Amino acid sequence: MAFPLGVPVIDTMIAFPTKDSSQYDFIRRQLKDSESRAFAFPAEYMFKSVPHDLPTDDPVSVTLGEMDRYNVEKGLIGCRGEAAQVALRTFPDRFVPSATIENPSDVMGSVRGLVADYETHGVKAVGVFPAGTFPQVAINDEKMYPIYAKCVELGIPIFVCAGVPGPRLPFAPQKVELIDQVMYDFPDLVFVTRHGCEPWTELAVKLLLKWPNLYYSTSAFAPKYYPKDIIDFANRRGADKVIYAGYFPMGLTLERIMRDMQDVPFRDEVWPKFLHENARRVLKLDA
């Protein structure tokens, strides 16, 4: 049950250091409390050791150095921005491109943008933060349906934040129960939850059992806080459904993640699936 040394890791949520916090402006525009608006990282009240002082002259080398240090073979990153472009061009064997849906209310703009990223960058996935969209668009909103349909058509998974968000935003768009209708309407859609599904992890497990193409990723959680429901599920019936994701450098260091990982009580046979096999299959990295 110990964390296995030498097993490769695929991180399905990783990024690069930035010079400022403007990347979170899309969240700040709908925050109302003064404390959150003053935070460099909008959920900083939850994350006490956000890595603020990382060098930014060569952000790709910083992230790649941390990946090498902790045996992270590949990282799923956004495909936009200078650092991402350098990473994908220079280290295509280490970084896997993903698209981002920023404004689902612009339905056709989102679909066209996804297609453009697929054709230009060969994205292997797409991500969306429903509570962070402005205006908010729920997981099962009809505006999301053309995006889900396009993911099915392109054969790529969608990673969707579910559960109460860290930033002080309304959680209604991310209620875990909303996933059920989406999976019913899109049985071929590969849907991966992000950011924990709390406090509805018991329901998440029921849905993971129910829907073959539904998966759970551990993004934005230090391993000591992985929900017990999810650990038990992985150890019993869900070894093929739980995927590792970190949160570097947004809220956690890889050092913290990997240190905590030593104490996660996964069974021996779960570790390789959790750390890389499930992600490799879902992202079609061997295709």
Side-chain angles (χ1 to χ4, degrees):
M1 295 175 68
F3 180 79
L5 298 176
V7 173
V9 178
I10 294 175
D11 192 331
T12 58
M13 193 170 195
I14 197 167
F16 306 101
T18 58
K19 293 181 179 179
D20 56 38
S21 62
S22 60
Q23 61 183 316
Y24 301 117
D25 287 349
F26 78 100
I27 297 176
R28 290 193 189 92
R29 62 185 175 182
Q30 58 176 313
L31 294 170
K32 294 188 176 182
D33 68 291
S34 57
E35 183 182 44
S36 292
R37 294 176 70 89
F39 285 147
F41 173 49
E44 200 160 325
Y45 72 96
M46 294 179 63
F47 293 86
K48 303 304 183 183
S49 301
V50 178
H52 285 305
D53 299 322
L54 296 170
T56 58
D57 291 344
D58 187 356
V60 175
S61 291
V62 172
T63 295
L64 196 60
E66 289 300 288
M67 291 168 63
D68 288 343
R69 183 180 175 191
Y70 294 105
N71 205 32
V72 178
E73 175 187 307
K74 296 178 185 292
L76 184 68
I77 63 170
C79 66
R80 301 290 180 90
E82 182 180 354
Q85 291 293 297
V86 170
L88 293 170
R89 182 173 62 252
T90 310
F91 304 101
D93 59 326
R94 302 297 302 278
F95 294 104
V96 181
S98 177
T100 301
I101 301 299
E102 297 176 351
N103 181 17
S105 294
D106 179 8
V107 179
M108 286 312 301
S110 295
V111 172
R112 292 188 182 109
L114 173 55
V115 171
D117 286 340
Y118 181 82
E119 293 177 346
T120 303
H121 305 294
V123 295
K124 293 283 191 176
V126 60
V128 63
F129 174 20
T133 58
F134 188 67
Q136 289 185 326
V137 176
I139 288 171
N140 68 339
D141 192 288
E142 62 184 10
K143 298 181 187 69
M144 288 297 301
Y145 272 45
I147 297 165
Y148 294 144
K150 183 55 66 172
C151 288
V152 173
E153 182 180 316
L154 297 176
I156 61 175
I158 188 163
F159 286 70
V160 183
C161 296
V164 174
R168 291 168 177 147
L169 303 169
F171 66 71
Q174 295 187 176
K175 288 184 176 180
V176 170
E177 65 197 59
L178 304 180
I179 298 171
D180 190 56
Q181 185 67 48
V182 173
M183 301 313 299
Y184 176 75
D185 289 335
F186 294 92
D188 297 323
L189 177 68
V190 177
F191 189 110
V192 187
T193 70
R194 274 181 169 163
H195 288 26
C197 293
E198 288 189 331
W200 304 289
T201 53
E202 184 177 359
L203 174 59
V205 167
K206 295 294 186 182
L207 295 178
L208 287 160
L209 284 168
K210 179 180 180 181
W211 299 111
N213 288 329
L214 180 61
Y215 296 83
Y216 178 103
S217 73
T218 59
S219 63
F221 272 60
K224 71 178 293 184
Y225 296 116
Y226 285 173
K228 184 177 184 300
D229 288 334
I230 298 302
I231 293 174
D232 290 346
F233 172 65
N235 280 335
R236 293 170 183 166
R237 300 177 63 184
D240 294 329
K241 305 295 289 288
V242 182
I243 296 172
Y244 167 69
Y247 206 40
F248 174 82
M250 294 78 78
L252 294 165
T253 63
L254 282 181
E255 179 181 17
R256 165 68 189 281
I257 291 170
M258 296 304 173
R259 182 179 70 240
D260 281 8
M261 198 79 81
Q262 311 300 317
D263 297 320
V264 175
F266 283 142
R267 293 179 176 174
D268 290 346
E269 63 271 21
V270 173
W271 280 112
K273 294 182 177 184
F274 170 68
L275 292 174
H276 72 99
E277 291 177 9
N278 294 341
R280 201 179 301 277
R281 183 179 69 256
V282 166
L283 295 170
K284 300 179 179 176
L285 296 184
D286 295 327

